[in-house]
Amino acid sequence: EPEVTQTPSHQVTQMGQEVILRCVPISNHLYFYWYRQILGQKVEFLVSFYNNEISEKSEIFDDQFSVERPDGSNFTLKIRSTKLEDSAMYFCASTETVTPLGYTFGSGTRLTVV
Amino acid sequence: QQPVQSPQAVILREGEDAVINCSSSKALYSVHWYRQKHGEAPVFLMILLKGGEQKGHDKISASFNEKKQQSSLYLTASQLSYSGTYFCGTENTGNQFYFGTGTSLTVIP
């Protein structure tokens, strides 16, 4: 079964450092998403991406965040200057259609900012 | 905009039934249901697209009341493997998707 792959599975970084989280969406999917989940809390939408541009973003997705699809397969989330409160599980997801019939999530990257 | 789920947590004995509710303050286009095991990604269970639609597989089913902007997930004859956090996700007519507040379900022997 096709899956969304995320790397690394766990990243520890010092406050103020830049991190890049990587995702390989399912190959025939066109819409890509990043979600965040602070430990024990709800899953929060960050950003959606289609046709090489951001289609929607939440209030969380401020100037410290950026997304990119540098080649035909990878989809990355960059946090420019990490803060302690950025510590969370970050999930990438992809869908075939703009009106998703269900999101396929990657296994997540646990980001710990110290 | 975030749908509210109830209850927040429930503990069941194996074989018991449970209902998890999801309510939105906005008109809904669709409702998704996901289950998340601890430390893992949410896994898609089902989507309901039409008001009044009911779906299910195995002993897990769901309904969608479009008028009330609500959905319910029904788990019957629960098994240990049902334990996890259940999230609804709602899409409104503006193509905005939000996950619910989550319901922690624990099934004990």
Side-chain angles (χ1 to χ4, degrees):
Chain A
E1 189 172 324
E3 57 181 33
V4 176
T5 306
Q6 287 186 244
T7 54
S9 56
H10 192 187
Q11 172 114 30
V12 181
T13 189
Q14 287 203 320
M15 197 167 54
Q17 295 295 303
E18 174 183 286
V19 293
I20 297 176
L21 310 183
R22 291 184 167 78
C23 169
V24 178
I26 293 173
S27 61
N28 64 333
H29 285 188
L30 301 174
Y31 301 85
F32 315 117
Y33 312 84
W34 283 102
Y35 284 84
R36 176 181 87 173
Q37 187 178 33
I38 294 170
L39 187 63
Q41 297 187 25
K42 61 183 184 286
V43 180
E44 299 174 294
F45 169 72
L46 292 178
V47 66
S48 59
F49 191 87
Y50 168 70
N51 201 25
N52 282 321
E53 59 183 30
I54 292 173
S55 28
E56 237 186 297
K57 60 182 180 178
S58 71
E59 292 172 352
I60 303 167
F61 195 88
D62 61 22
D63 292 343
Q64 295 299 314
F65 292 88
S66 62
V67 288
E68 203 177 31
R69 189 156 160 83
D71 53 45
S73 56
N74 289 288
F75 178 50
T76 61
L77 174 70
K78 182 193 288 186
I79 309 175
R80 200 182 339 270
S81 176
T82 50
K83 299 177 273 212
L84 293 176
E85 54 265 37
D86 292 328
S87 295
M89 196 76 164
Y90 288 81
F91 293 107
C92 174
S94 68
T95 60
E96 263 185 284
T97 59
V98 65
T99 304
L101 297 178
Y103 290 89
T104 303
F105 286 92
S107 52
T109 294
R110 179 168 297 286
L111 178 67
T112 303
V113 182
V114 297
Chain B
Q1 290 174 334
Q2 181 186 28
V4 176
Q5 290 181 232
S6 62
Q8 286 186 323
V10 58
I11 299 175
L12 298 174
R13 291 201 176 275
E14 246 183 316
E16 290 182 338
D17 302 340
V19 180
I20 299 172
N21 299 302
C22 173
S23 294
S24 173
S25 59
K26 290 195 172 257
L28 300 177
Y29 175 77
S30 69
V31 179
H32 301 210
W33 284 97
Y34 293 81
R35 176 171 60 208
Q36 185 179 32
K37 301 275 188 180
H38 182 69
E40 298 179 11
V43 173
F44 174 70
L45 294 176
M46 66 188 81
I47 181 173
L48 299 103
L49 290 172
K50 298 176 188 173
E53 184 175 20
Q54 295 193 44
K55 268 193 179 178
H57 52 83
D58 200 9
K59 296 185 176 72
I60 300 176
S61 61
S63 63
F64 177 21
N65 187 324
E66 193 175 11
K67 284 185 181 176
K68 291 186 179 178
Q69 295 163 190
Q70 291 176 346
S71 177
S72 295
L73 184 72
Y74 307 93
L75 300 105
T76 57
S78 57
Q79 305 166 16
L80 295 176
S81 61
Y82 287 3
S83 292
T85 301
Y86 288 79
F87 291 97
C88 67
T90 57
E91 184 179 10
N92 61 29
T93 50
N95 279 346
Q96 294 171 330
F97 185 84
Y98 296 93
F99 279 96
T101 49
T103 296
S104 171
L105 182 86
T106 305
V107 181
I108 57 176

